[in-house]
Amino acid sequence: MLASRGCIAAGMLRLFSAIGKGTSLASISGVMHERLAELLGVHGASYELVTHPEAFTAQEEAAKAHVSGWSWAKTVVVKDPVGLALAVLPACCTADLDRLKGLLGRGELRLASVEEMLAGFPGCALGAVPPFGRLFGVPTAVDESLVEQRDIVLAAGDHRTAIRMRTADYLKLAEARAGHFAIHDSQEFPVHAHPRGPAPRTSP
């Protein structure tokens, strides 16, 4: 069973630090931006703020930002007998729910409904949930193909803002369980992790 495409964001990158001065997530109106900024700041994580025109599919947004779909993360919200969970995978892939079910180990799995997402992730636009389950008290699973990227771009709660950060920093903060559950949109079989390459180039 395959999950439908998720939504994240893309655009022009500007470098900031969660503990530095200047514009940051905390300066953008919105409870979710504030909560995410606090998480990053408490742990001293550096990130790049991504501002962009409103967009609704992760792969299209990655293309507009000239970032590989393999390093542009999207968050899929799923529901099992225990509750909600987050699945994080490359923008160019869909989630195999059967494999994801085995990774989470909590029983039968399906995509969350709109009502469940609105109730479980207040302050977030649909399709733009930050991939940090600890912010919401739910588990997070990340595909190994993202783990092998040096940098990834993540949703920040709306369709106009995202952040880019080191994958190693993300994994520490997300407390995510890694496994293989992503299937490339042009294929019908699971993808394998790619070796780490140089960090994606960004526009000045």
Side-chain angles (χ1 to χ4, degrees):
M1 186 186 301
L2 302 182
S4 60
R5 296 183 181 181
C7 309
I8 303 183
M12 181 175 290
L13 300 178
R14 292 176 294 168
L15 179 62
F16 298 99
S17 170
I19 56 175
K21 297 181 179 180
T23 305
S24 68
L25 279 171
S27 69
I28 303 174
S29 177
V31 173
M32 183 46 54
H33 293 132
E34 295 174 2
R35 292 182 62 190
L36 183 54
E38 181 179 3
L39 175 66
L40 295 169
V42 166
H43 294 275
S46 294
Y47 64 91
E48 294 172 318
L49 183 64
V50 181
T51 58
H52 56 83
E54 192 171 42
F56 296 98
T57 67
Q59 183 65 347
E60 290 175 356
E61 294 157 355
K64 290 179 181 178
H66 306 290
V67 174
S68 169
W70 289 105
S71 59
W72 199 277
K74 70 179 177 182
T75 306
V76 176
V77 182
V78 295
K79 176 72 166 59
D80 61 25
V82 178
L84 298 174
L86 301 181
V88 189
L89 62 161
C92 55
C93 298
T94 55
D96 184 324
L97 295 188
D98 290 330
R99 285 178 172 267
L100 182 59
K101 177 181 70 175
L103 179 62
L104 292 173
R106 306 197 310 179
E108 291 301 316
L109 200 66
R110 62 171 172 79
L111 294 176
S113 67
V114 170
E115 293 76 16
E116 289 167 337
M117 287 188 284
L118 290 174
F121 306 96
C124 297
L126 290 174
V129 176
F132 296 93
R134 63 190 295 178
L135 286 173
F136 313 98
V138 302
T140 304
V142 60
D143 191 77
E144 290 281 2
S145 56
L146 273 181
V147 173
E148 291 302 319
Q149 304 303 315
R150 181 174 298 173
D151 302 276
I152 53 178
V153 181
L154 315 168
D158 64 33
H159 293 295
R160 295 181 180 274
T161 312
I163 61 171
R164 178 186 173 201
M165 64 189 301
R166 292 292 187 184
T167 304
D169 291 339
Y170 164 72
L171 293 173
K172 290 177 183 177
L173 294 181
E175 300 177 339
R177 181 177 301 181
H180 296 287
F181 58 85
I183 294 181
H184 194 276
D185 288 342
S186 65
Q187 302 171 337
E188 295 184 353
F189 52 88
V191 300
H192 298 286
H194 296 278
R196 291 177 183 240
R201 297 180 62 87
T202 62
S203 301

